[in-house]
């Protein structure tokens, strides 16, 4: 039975994120870079609903001091989206014979921290308008990001995003001696990973995680389940 979608899980109040990712995975099962992922995602939105306006690296605040990876909107609804593409090393071809060489990012603790930072930023950027929601997306072929390795003493212990993890409240980075890296989340976000694509060779399995931020409902839900 399909899970009912809430307004926070919609892109510009029109498209379900899971449906966009499913369609995108058929056409683009892997990407050369995060920018490639962002551009292809924006193209998929326009293809699915041409009434949605999309802008890459948009500046949603009145002072233009910050930008988001992608802004999508209609006359009545707006969605701000942040992307993370944290890859492990992989080389091969997609089903359409296009060759790819993905670099190994290695610092996956930082990938976790930056993803949680995206959630925190989206909470802030969407808090002033009831017609605006946010979505943070991570796509990866690194299993340690979706699996719980049981390490509770690592510096990213509060930032881990493995399956079923609850992210909420004040999250401390490391031993607490780097407060500039701490994050505070108003909402509660339970992580739920979803399969994206399956390619040949080691590290050929890709999965994605989406977290929806809805200012009208600070206690948010997971995506991808």
């Amino acid at each position: 039975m399909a899970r009912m979608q809430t307004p926070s899980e919609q892109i510009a109040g029109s498209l379900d994120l899971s449906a966009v990712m499913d369609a995108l995975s058929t056409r683009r099962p892997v990407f050369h870079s995060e920018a490639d992922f962002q551009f292809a995602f924006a193209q998929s939105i326009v293809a699915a609903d041409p009434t949605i306006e999309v802008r890459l690296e948009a500046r949603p605040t009145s002072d233009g001091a910050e930008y988001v990876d992608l802004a999508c909107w209609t006359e009545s609804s707006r969605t701000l989206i942040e992307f993370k593409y944290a890859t492990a090393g992989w080389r091969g071809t997609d089903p359409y014979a296009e060759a790819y060489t993905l670099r190994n990012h290695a610092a996956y603790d930082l990938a976790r921290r930056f993803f949680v930072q995206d959630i925190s930023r989206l909470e802030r950027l969407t808090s002033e308008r009831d017609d605006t929601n946010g979505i943070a997306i991570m796509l990866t072929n690194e299993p340690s990001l979706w699996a719980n390795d049981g390490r509770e003493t690592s510096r990213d212990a509060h930032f881990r995003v493995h399956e079923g993890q609850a992210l909420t409240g004040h999250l401390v980075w490391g031993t607490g001696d780097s407060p500039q890296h701490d994050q505070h989340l108003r909402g509660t976000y339970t992580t739920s990973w979803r399969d994206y694509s399956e390619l040949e060779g080691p590290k050929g399995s890709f999965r994605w995680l989406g977290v929806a931020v809805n200012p009208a409902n600070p206690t948010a839900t997971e995506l991808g389940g």
Side-chain angles (χ1 to χ4, degrees):
M1 181 176 178
R3 186 166 61 86
M4 183 178 296
Q5 302 297 315
T6 68
S8 64
E9 299 175 0
Q10 298 290 311
I11 298 172
S14 174
L15 294 177
D16 170 31
L17 173 61
S18 295
V20 173
M21 291 295 287
D22 286 345
L24 185 60
S25 68
T26 299
R27 185 171 62 87
R28 293 294 309 276
V30 61
F31 303 95
H32 294 287
S33 64
E34 190 169 284
D36 185 26
F37 177 26
Q38 295 168 6
F39 181 65
F41 187 96
Q43 286 181 310
S44 292
I45 290 176
V46 173
D49 187 346
T51 68
I52 298 178
E53 294 286 344
V54 298
R55 299 290 187 273
L56 291 164
E57 297 195 0
R59 296 186 179 272
T61 58
S62 57
D63 60 6
E66 295 183 80
Y67 72 88
V68 293
D69 291 333
L70 181 66
C72 311
W73 71 89
T74 62
E75 291 183 356
S76 60
S77 185
R78 183 177 71 155
T79 300
L80 308 179
I81 304 177
E82 291 282 85
F83 298 85
K84 288 291 176 286
Y85 187 47
T87 58
W90 181 84
R91 178 176 294 180
T93 58
D94 69 8
Y96 310 102
E98 183 173 353
Y100 290 80
T101 299
L102 304 186
R103 70 185 183 93
N104 185 20
H105 282 86
Y108 300 113
D109 55 346
L110 296 182
R112 297 181 182 95
R113 194 185 89 199
F114 293 145
F115 183 72
V116 173
Q117 182 177 311
D118 283 346
I119 299 171
S120 179
R121 287 185 68 244
L122 289 170
E123 284 189 334
R124 177 168 48 79
L125 292 172
T126 61
S127 64
E128 296 181 358
R129 291 180 52 164
D130 291 338
D131 64 348
T132 302
N133 68 318
I135 298 174
I137 305 171
M138 177 183 285
L139 176 63
T140 184
N141 62 333
E142 174 48 55
S144 67
L145 287 169
W146 63 72
N148 183 7
D149 64 8
R151 293 187 301 165
E152 298 181 356
T153 58
S154 59
R155 64 177 180 170
D156 64 339
H158 290 182
F159 291 72
R160 300 186 74 79
V161 294
H162 54 264
E163 179 70 22
Q165 177 78 334
L167 298 170
T168 191
H170 188 72
L171 306 178
V172 177
W173 179 257
T175 60
D177 56 354
S178 301
Q180 70 274 19
H181 297 319
D182 295 354
Q183 296 295 325
H184 186 83
L185 301 179
R186 293 182 295 112
T188 298
Y189 308 91
T190 302
T191 57
S192 181
W193 288 83
R194 182 167 179 173
D195 294 340
Y196 183 76
S197 63
E198 189 71 32
L199 301 173
E200 294 183 355
K203 306 290 186 177
S205 297
F206 288 77
R207 304 190 79 192
W208 68 276
L209 169 65
V211 169
V213 178
N214 182 0
N217 181 14
T219 302
T221 58
E222 76 284 353
L223 282 172

